[in-house]
Amino acid sequence: MPTVTLAGALIGRASEIATLVRLVTEAAGGRGGAVLIEGEPGIGKSALVRAALAEVADLGCQVFWGAGDELGQALPLLPLLEGLRVREPSTNPRRNTIVRLLRGELTADRGTDVSAALAEQLLALIAEQCAAQPTILVIDDLQWADQASVALWGRLARSVRQVPLLLIGMIRPVPQRDDLLALRRAVGDAARLQLSGLTEAAVAELIAALAGGRPDDKLLRLADGAAGNPLYVTELVAALARSSSVTITDAGAAELTSGPAPSSLSAAIADRLGFVSGAVRDVLRAAALLGVDLAVPDLAIVLGRGVADLIQAVDEARAAGVLAETGNSLGFRHPMIRAALYDEIPVPVRAAWHRDAGRALAEAGAPVDRVARQLLGAVGGSGVTTEPMDEWILSWLARTAELLVGQAPQVAAELLRQAVAGSPVGSFQHDGLEGRLADALYRVGDVAEAEQVANHALVHAVEPDVLVDLHWTLAQCSMRAGRSAESLATLNRALASPGISARHRARLLVLAARTHSNLGEVEKAGRVGATALAAASEAGDNWAIGWALHVLTIVTAVQGQMTDALPLFDRALTVTQADPALTDLRLLLQINKAITLGCLDQYEEAIGAARQARQLADQVGTVIRLAQAHSALGQLLFDSGRWDDAMAEVQVLHEDLKEPTAACCDLGVAAVICFHRGDLTAARRHLAAAVPHAKRIGNRVVGPLALAQSLDCEHAGALPEALAVLTAGFTDNTEELEEIEDLLGDAVRLAMAVDELGTAKALAGHAVALAAESEIPHRQANALYCRGLLDHDPTGLLAAAERYGDASRPLLRAKALEAAAGDFVRADERDRARTAFTSALDIYSSLGAATDVAGLQSRFRAYGIRRGPHAKHRQARSGWDSLTPTETKIAALVQGGLSNPEIAARLFLSRRTVATHVSHILKKLDVHSRTDIAREAALRTIASK
């Protein structure tokens, strides 16, 4: 019988292949998408995707393929980790960071959610891959994927339109898990391909391709039982061929002769396996222990044989259609084949074999998740028992529990429950395992049981390190439950424990200082933080030193001593730079330092610090830190008047990949720029996109977003409503006034416009209070501006403009100049009014603030004041002249044939920022490809000669 070909297996799927080919083509052109392919086992989901990808292999997309695994459902993110091939040797810093997280080398903080950190790193890795080359990410068997993988797939699906990424998921109709149902709803019907059984004509064509002849009526009637399932038809015809039950006539017909036929798909698969020799069947059973996809070295380890010794068996299994190559590894041709082999092993034998496989893999140095996968099969399914656990498993858990809890807490909890129940109470091994169990339960969100286990362990635990760990877990449980005071009491009891090491004491003090800070007890947080720093320095614990300094930077800044916070930042950055495990803290410190420098109006240093943070986050940071770095840089660039670069930064990542506060801030910045530039449609689109993120933070006031919402009302002529948006921020956030102080000037301006003098005076009082004894230029400028508006004092407004200039805040400077010009007109000082008017107009023009330019000219035209002869012309909004200096440089480098990564290295930008700039260039030039950009740049060069 002819070999079953891919083309033969895909008869009747032309329209579905066309859909996938279109989506791949769009992704190759820069427009991403997502599709969820659904159907019963054997319906041809995987074959469909492989065929479609084969048709468009010349489009230059890179393909990553992962799959859920029934044996690995409890292991977080396994399909993505395997699909993205992160364990393969690489020089890529991001991939190495992920590997180090998996090895436990970057989890110095016991509170670290390693699964969440891995998810953020994987998102960043996928973004990097897309920035370098159009990417296709396939996840098969999503019904067996863990919840973290499903959630990550959903996050990617919501943001694919922004990147050249095609996301393909394959899923069976069952099980009907809540997260899978939510995923189906999220992608929508338009992005779902439902594969049903083949038509009768397609089944006949498939049988003809498989059997080598046109099927007769008897063969077709027999095939009716397959209900159009291609795998069933394929296995049925193969079984008939093996039993010589099909004959090809001279006329080219395939006739069914006598002989038994499998009554079900399972029976057909069993028939295939029945033709495999006994020795090969043993190899296949061992392979079934490892999952649908398996590494050949792991199979050799489990069998205790060399890889070369397996070649003959693997070749026979491949020839029999049981195994197939999947990239650099092997896999069962279909999960149902693996299931048939796995289920035929008696349960007690299977459990013992899993245990031996786990031990063999561990002794060979396999990652803990692969070992745990086997041990779950050894102890899972029997419920918690008090029978003694295998001594080797207990020893392995004692050595690896900390890493396993961090990486796969659900798996750890299941294994540790068995271990705690099966080890002697009061033994060091039991106490340590019980402490790890409490930690695992806390991490999976079962706070009540975690507290119960920890309190039970405290009764008999005596080892100081175990006691500290138990108190730490109880403190974390109390904080998660909103009982911070109780958490502090727990920490104090731990600090009073006899025999506590200096290192543990320092770490507990750090946690106490962070708790006081979270409670708003600033002075207490400062005192405890200083004590923690002293203890950490004495113990030489970089983790505790770094976090203690972090707390002290927050305390110092909140107390208004931002200048004093800078040396604390520098010291903390020096400490964290020496320890790779503190990379995330280092990023947080670098971002906060940039923000602090911005608050001090030291913009060049601030932007430099933010770019350093962005560069580090781009290499090894999580998506959350990367988004924070881009957001901080975007805000700094906006404040200092570099709006085109600011737009590029805040639009690099899709808002669904950001924390809600960062998303609100970035969308607010983009909307404010668009309002000032007269693009009301885009501005309101940004505001609409911010709504769900604002709801997630309880509609807490975020400065840029509140300003954008106020501008929206102002453009609609609703000045009282515009004022209300801003005053709500000051009413509800008096304790966080410094965070929204930039809203004060606009709030006073609007209050004066609607004759709310009392409100204007109160707001001006806030500005004056913030400026008291402050040397920060923008605070002094805010006070002068608000008082100048209130008193109609043009001289004071000019002084405000000067201080805004010192602060490098051009937009606020222009507003102060505009207000001064108005008051000079009222005082009939036309020359001074014209000077202030012209200066304001120049600044608005340089910002591209078309709305402000038009409003200013319209307002003063009635007084006979117009643009002077030396004023700048309005910036073009399309064509080559509309490109910013950065975009012009990038266009020239595109003309030179440089890729995005090469341009990023040349200009010290991130690859994603370069990609955003390229997108803006395409839009402004109204072209569709890099080739078009190169052509336009070349024409520009020729024209200039």
Side-chain angles (χ1 to χ4, degrees), residues 664-695:
C664 288
C665 183
D666 289 353
L667 289 164
V669 167
V672 168
I673 292 173
C674 289
F675 275 126
H676 279 290
R677 290 184 163 176
D679 192 350
L680 304 190
T681 301
R684 287 170 179 149
R685 185 172 64 247
H686 293 311
L687 286 179
V691 170
H693 302 288
K695 287 180 179 178

Side-chain angles (χ1 to χ4, degrees), residues 1-4 207 209-213 219 222 232-248 254-262 268 271-272 275:
M1 191 183 77
T3 301
V4 178
I207 294 174
L210 294 168
L219 186 52
L222 181 62
Y232 192 173
V233 173
T234 300
E235 292 298 327
L236 176 64
V237 173
L240 294 172
R242 283 190 294 269
S243 61
S244 301
S245 298
V246 175
T247 301
I248 307 300
E255 293 183 348
L256 180 66
T257 59
S258 60
D271 182 86
R272 177 182 291 277
F275 282 79

Side-chain angles (χ1 to χ4, degrees), residues 21 71 118 223 229 321 380 382 398 400 423 463 486 502 532 591 598 613 643 650 671 781 809 847 880 885-886 900 928:
V21 167
L71 293 179
L118 280 170
N229 185 296
S382 58
T400 62
S423 59
E463 178 65 32
E486 184 177 322
I591 293 166
W643 287 5
V650 300
R809 305 265 184 121
L847 295 171
W880 190 270
T886 301
N900 282 2
H928 305 287

Side-chain angles (χ1 to χ4, degrees), residues 542-899:
N542 283 342
W543 182 94
I545 293 172
W547 278 106
L549 286 166
H550 170 66
V551 172
L552 292 175
T553 62
I554 294 173
V555 168
T556 306
V558 169
Q559 291 175 334
Q561 301 164 3
M562 284 185 282
T563 302
D564 294 338
L566 295 179
L568 295 173
F569 278 119
D570 291 338
R571 181 180 173 189
L573 287 167
T574 300
V575 169
T576 55
Q577 189 172 12
D579 190 344
L582 297 176
T583 299
D584 187 66
L585 175 57
R586 180 182 166 201
L587 272 168
L588 179 60
L589 289 162
Q590 187 74 26
I591 293 166
N592 286 347
K593 179 184 177 182
I595 294 169
T596 301
L597 286 166
C599 290
L600 291 168
D601 297 330
Q602 298 178 27
Y603 277 96
E604 292 308 315
E605 295 91 334
I607 290 170
R611 283 178 172 153
Q612 288 178 18
R614 183 191 62 187
Q615 182 179 9
L616 181 61
D618 198 46
Q619 294 173 345
V620 295
T622 65
V623 163
I624 288 177
R625 293 287 182 248
L626 183 61
Q628 289 170 343
H630 280 293
S631 182
L633 183 53
Q635 179 74 55
L636 293 167
L637 292 167
F638 168 73
D639 288 343
S640 57
R642 287 166 262 194
W643 287 5
D644 293 295
D645 291 339
M647 285 291 282
E649 292 298 333
V650 300
Q651 292 179 330
V652 164
L653 295 173
H654 190 272
E655 56 265 18
D656 284 333
L657 299 180
K658 304 174 184 177
E659 290 179 307
T661 301
C664 288
C665 183
D666 289 353
L667 289 164
V669 167
V672 168
I673 292 173
C674 289
F675 275 126
H676 279 290
R677 290 184 163 176
D679 192 350
L680 304 190
T681 301
R684 287 170 179 149
R685 185 172 64 247
H686 293 311
L687 286 179
V691 170
H693 302 288
K695 287 180 179 178
R696 289 175 60 193
I697 56 174
N699 292 304
R700 180 169 60 83
V701 175
V702 176
L705 183 59
L707 182 57
Q709 292 165 335
S710 178
L711 284 171
D712 190 21
C713 295
E714 193 170 349
H715 274 280
L719 297 188
E721 289 80 0
L723 175 62
V725 170
L726 300 181
T727 54
F730 297 111
T731 301
D732 301 335
N733 292 275
T734 51
E735 74 282 2
E736 298 176 4
L737 188 58
E738 296 178 11
E739 295 185 16
I740 53 175
E741 62 179 305
D742 286 345
L743 305 181
L744 282 167
D746 281 296
V748 172
R749 176 180 59 81
L750 289 167
M752 295 294 290
V754 297
D755 294 325
E756 288 195 20
L757 189 59
T759 300
K761 287 181 177 179
L763 294 170
H766 286 314
V768 171
L770 285 171
E773 299 181 5
S774 174
E775 297 297 323
I776 300 174
H778 79 264
R779 285 194 173 168
Q780 294 179 350
N782 279 344
L784 289 167
Y785 179 56
C786 292
R787 289 303 312 176
L789 289 173
L790 201 61
D791 299 336
H792 292 290
D793 176 13
T795 303
L797 290 166
L798 286 179
E802 184 177 355
R803 287 305 276 159
Y804 279 133
D806 296 336
S808 300
R809 305 265 184 121
L811 177 63
L812 299 179
R813 182 172 178 236
K815 288 182 177 182
L817 287 165
E818 180 179 358
D823 283 334
F824 278 130
V825 167
R826 292 187 190 91
D828 201 25
E829 296 187 48
R830 294 302 181 93
D831 290 341
R832 299 185 73 183
R834 187 185 305 279
T835 301
F837 162 87
T838 302
S839 296
L841 196 61
D842 284 349
I843 295 172
Y844 285 142
S845 298
S846 71
L847 295 171
T851 300
D852 301 273
V853 168
L856 183 64
Q857 289 178 324
S858 174
R859 176 183 173 191
F860 284 89
R861 190 174 295 119
Y863 305 118
I865 297 177
R866 292 178 172 82
R867 178 190 292 272
H870 301 294
K872 296 178 182 177
H873 294 290
R874 178 176 176 179
Q875 183 178 344
R877 299 186 65 181
S878 63
W880 190 270
D881 290 336
S882 70
L883 300 185
T884 68
T886 301
E887 290 167 354
T888 303
K889 291 178 185 177
I890 289 174
L893 294 172
V894 169
Q895 180 191 3
L898 274 68
S899 65

Side-chain angles (χ1 to χ4, degrees), residues 2 8 176 190 203 305 322 353 379 388 422 464 468 611 639 641 731 736 797 913:
Q176 296 285 320
V203 169
R305 295 159 64 178
V322 177
W353 205 351
V379 305
V468 167
R611 283 178 172 153
D639 288 343
T731 301
E736 298 176 4
L797 290 166
T913 302

